[in-house]
Amino acid sequence: CKSLPETFLFQLLGLSIAMLSTVTHYGLRFTLISNISLDSNSYRVIHHRAFYFGICLSMTLILAALLSSAATVRESQCLTAMGFFCFALAFCGLIPAACWRYTHSTEVEDSMMDVYDFVYEEVRRNTSSFRRHELTAIHEAFLCCGKHSPFGDTTSVEHKTCPPGQVHDEGQDCLQDIQDFLKKHMDFVFSLLGIAIGFTVYGMILTSFLWFSIQFSSNLYRKGKYVLR
């Protein structure tokens, strides 16, 4: 049967996914890029979908853990079946998410770098003072300064938009800093998805074993009893 530590682990996993989704959605760097991105850029769509998916997944895992725990205490086949359904639902959502991350391994990083590249080139062409404020905010959020541009000298842009006192070193590239940050974050997300998939499979096996155990115990309890009519 399902023990209390196992139930706690499933709840902890659900809370971890919810916290990661919240940090990703409301974190300064992520919200800044999302607000700046154009409608043609896919980052904003990914940003919102990832948040809602993470919250739904965390709630499903927590509900599955609670149902399985209640089923163990009450020896209810109905609650056990509901817990199995929640684990199966979470599994069916995790597999496409992991496959999407594998097949679109650089889409998030590329879309975020496209936002920075667009804003930077707008400022370089001096077409918008509003974009200059946005570029300054990006530099302050990511603690980076400028990029290498094939269109000419970028020193004037960096002097206007980089944080005070930050020196532009040769070889420094804000695009590379953004890519490194996103790669580490997405690797962590992918690892958490893998752990969640393993736990959901484990949960489905446990709930299946619990269901058959309750059924077997119920049959033994009725064995040898007769009703006279």
Side-chain angles (χ1 to χ4, degrees), residues 5 11 21 33 69 86 90 119 152 157 161 168-169 202:
Q11 293 177 340
S21 302
I33 297 296
S69 180
C86 289
V119 175
V157 176
T161 60
H168 175 70
D169 299 324
Y202 179 60

Side-chain angles (χ1 to χ4, degrees), residues 190-201:
F190 191 72
S191 300
L192 190 59
L193 285 177
I195 295 173
I197 290 174
F199 268 85
T200 52
V201 173

Side-chain angles (χ1 to χ4, degrees), residues 6-24:
E6 291 167 343
T7 302
F8 175 75
L9 286 176
F10 281 109
Q11 293 177 340
L12 183 62
L13 177 62
L15 291 175
S16 300
I17 294 174
M19 291 178 59
L20 179 62
S21 302
T22 303
V23 170
T24 303

Side-chain angles (χ1 to χ4, degrees), residues 67-202:
L67 288 173
S68 300
S69 180
T72 303
V73 175
R74 298 187 179 185
E75 296 186 356
S76 171
Q77 288 181 292
C78 180
L79 292 177
T80 306
M82 293 173 63
F84 177 86
F85 175 77
C86 289
F87 281 119
L89 186 64
F91 180 79
C92 292
L94 285 166
I95 293 300
C99 292
W100 183 90
R101 173 55 187 164
Y102 181 78
T103 56
H104 300 76
S105 58
T106 61
E107 183 171 343
V108 179
E109 294 92 329
D110 291 342
S111 61
M112 184 175 264
M113 288 189 295
D114 287 342
V115 173
Y116 176 82
D117 198 48
F118 168 77
V119 175
Y120 190 95
E121 293 303 322
E122 287 287 304
V123 174
R124 189 186 64 82
R125 290 193 294 265
N126 294 320
T127 57
S128 174
S129 60
F130 181 72
R131 294 297 182 186
R132 189 178 300 113
H133 294 293
E134 292 178 340
L135 185 61
T136 302
I138 294 176
H139 287 162
E140 292 176 351
F142 285 92
L143 299 178
C144 60
C145 179
K147 71 164 191 172
H148 298 289
S149 176
F151 300 103
D153 185 27
T154 59
T155 306
S156 60
V157 176
E158 293 155 8
H159 280 264
K160 295 177 182 178
T161 60
C162 289
Q166 186 170 350
V167 181
H168 175 70
D169 299 324
E170 186 177 356
Q172 182 185 13
D173 194 340
C174 207
L175 290 174
Q176 186 64 46
D177 292 339
I178 293 175
Q179 184 181 31
D180 292 341
F181 167 76
L182 258 297
K183 188 177 184 304
K184 292 178 182 178
H185 184 81
M186 295 306 295
D187 287 344
F188 181 76
V189 171
F190 191 72
S191 300
L192 190 59
L193 285 177
I195 295 173
I197 290 174
F199 268 85
T200 52
V201 173
Y202 179 60

